[in-house]
Amino acid sequence: MSRRGITGVVAALLLLGSTTAMAAVSFVYPAPNSWVERSNYLILKLNNPEITGVRINVNGVVGDILQVSSPEYRKAFQDLLIVQPVWDRGRNEVNVEAYVGKVRAETAQALIYYAPEGGQSAVPPEFTHYLFHRPDSEIRCVACHTMEPTSTQALSTREKENPCIGCHKRMLNVKFVHGPAGTYSCVYCHKEKATPKYAVVKRDAALCNECHEDKAAEFAKRKYVHGPIAGGMCEVCHDPHGSANYAQLKAPVNELCLSCHESVRKIPHVVRTTTGEGHPVSGRKDPSSPKSGREMSCISCHNPHAGDVRYYFQNNAEDRMQLCQMCHNK
């Protein structure tokens, strides 16, 4: 099945109670005409015990019919279908067909807008931000999930006891996981009593510096501070939960740096070599940290946070040739 379609059924259980009417298929998560910043779940309530299969079409990519009629499935999921979508960035048109045997019995449609973190400014006004942790949504889950955890449960570092991990564990299936997320310390940042529920009441440096005060003090001593750091915008570069990239960066180092410093792409960097190209910034071991195993990148020469010289050179040398001698010492 296409990567842009539905990638697989998620083994989870949400018990909604008995159905008193043969209502149409409904969207539990996300709601129609809402926007989300994570491509995690698509949850449908079938509302009809006779439905045997469901086919989902996302932006014209049609999936196979998913069978939902076996006794094992019904025992686990009741009348819910829980799948993992891979949304396209921006507007997504979702069409659902429900079958009884080979006969198409019902259809349902919804528009979902996908705005990964950093893209919310582009969301059209007709889409509402979807917030799941509200009483009308949580009531659907209480039969199987602890929606009002005690302080002991919320602070538990045991996977089976922590109430957040049942639904949110997959965001930690990345190579580099941030410490608090890796120990399931969700409520350190997400507050149950916040409005909306579990909102993060502090963001960026105001929150990060509660643990990383040593870094904040270090940067404050430097003569030059990189713009995002000076503005306290840690989350511009770092994902607070984790990512596939070193230091929980939202993209590989060079890709991230060049997303702001695009002009560097257009001219040979530092010097023009005999090939006509600039100094290499990839494809070799990082000379500034040879034991790390990292590949050479922008941060091999430049400190991404702060420095005592204008271009944040790693060795804080005013003379650029001294930077060169970190590698070219002959």
Side-chain angles (χ1 to χ4, degrees):
M1 186 177 177
S2 171
R3 187 191 68 81
R4 297 173 57 205
I6 303 301
T7 60
V9 176
V10 178
L13 169 61
L14 298 174
L15 183 62
L16 304 189
S18 61
T19 302
T20 58
M22 297 299 183
V25 172
S26 56
F27 286 76
V28 175
Y29 176 85
N33 300 314
S34 66
W35 69 268
V36 293
E37 57 189 278
R38 292 188 179 275
S39 181
N40 47 10
Y41 295 114
L42 171 62
I43 304 175
L44 303 172
K45 190 173 189 300
L46 305 179
N47 296 314
N48 184 343
E50 296 182 0
I51 290 176
T52 59
V54 177
R55 189 197 302 274
I56 301 173
N57 175 333
V58 179
N59 297 328
V61 178
V62 183
D64 299 328
I65 293 180
L66 302 174
Q67 299 299 323
V68 297
S69 60
S70 70
E72 295 79 11
Y73 185 95
R74 290 293 183 175
K75 181 179 179 180
F77 295 97
Q78 301 293 312
D79 67 341
L80 287 171
L81 177 63
I82 307 172
V83 297
Q84 180 185 348
V86 179
W87 305 124
D88 287 340
R89 188 182 291 264
R91 188 185 300 262
N92 291 267
E93 183 175 340
V94 187
N95 290 281
V96 178
E97 296 177 339
Y99 290 82
V100 176
K102 295 183 179 181
V103 179
R104 188 177 68 180
E106 298 176 15
T107 62
Q109 297 80 35
L111 289 177
I112 307 297
Y113 198 95
Y114 178 47
E117 192 167 358
Q120 291 89 328
S121 60
V123 178
E126 62 267 27
F127 291 92
T128 303
H129 189 196
Y130 187 84
L131 300 172
F132 178 80
H133 285 288
R134 301 177 304 180
D136 58 329
S137 297
E138 289 190 337
I139 196 171
R140 295 185 170 115
C141 309
V142 294
C144 299
H145 294 272
T146 303
M147 306 311 296
E148 297 292 339
T150 65
S151 295
T152 300
Q153 290 172 322
L155 292 169
S156 176
T157 58
R158 293 172 58 88
E159 182 177 322
K160 292 182 178 180
E161 296 176 357
N162 188 286
C164 306
I165 302 307
C167 292
H168 298 291
K169 183 181 178 180
R170 284 186 299 126
M171 71 169 60
L172 306 181
N173 292 339
V174 291
K175 185 175 182 179
F176 298 95
V177 178
H178 190 207
T183 58
Y184 310 146
S185 303
C186 310
V187 293
Y188 185 86
C189 300
H190 297 270
K191 304 302 182 183
E192 184 180 9
K193 302 302 181 183
T195 303
K197 188 177 181 181
Y198 296 124
V200 179
V201 296
K202 296 180 181 178
R203 299 301 298 259
D204 289 299
L207 178 61
C208 300
N209 288 347
E210 290 186 359
C211 291
H212 299 286
E213 66 272 10
D214 57 328
K215 289 295 183 182
E218 176 188 333
F219 303 152
K221 294 177 182 178
R222 300 301 183 185
K223 184 176 179 181
Y224 295 92
V225 180
H226 192 204
I229 303 303
M233 298 184 292
C234 309
E235 294 179 57
V236 168
C237 298
H238 300 277
D239 188 302
H241 298 107
S243 80
N245 306 296
Y246 163 75
Q248 297 89 47
L249 294 175
K250 291 185 174 179
V253 174
N254 288 1
E255 181 182 329
L256 187 63
C257 296
L258 293 175
S259 66
C260 288
H261 301 281
E262 188 175 356
S263 62
V264 175
R265 297 180 189 269
K266 300 176 181 178
I267 57 176
H269 193 50
V270 183
V271 296
R272 187 185 297 274
T273 65
T274 55
T275 64
E277 300 176 345
H279 190 281
V281 292
S282 63
R284 305 180 185 187
K285 289 185 178 180
D286 185 346
S288 70
S289 183
K291 294 182 180 180
S292 69
R294 296 197 306 260
E295 181 179 328
M296 185 179 187
S297 66
C298 302
I299 65 172
S300 298
C301 296
H302 304 278
N303 189 311
H305 299 114
D308 292 330
V309 292
R310 182 180 176 188
Y311 295 106
Y312 319 114
F313 291 147
Q314 284 285 6
N315 62 354
N316 282 311
E318 291 280 0
D319 186 341
R320 297 187 186 187
M321 294 304 294
Q322 291 184 30
L323 176 69
C324 300
Q325 290 170 10
M326 287 175 57
C327 300
H328 306 281
N329 54 7
K330 292 183 179 181

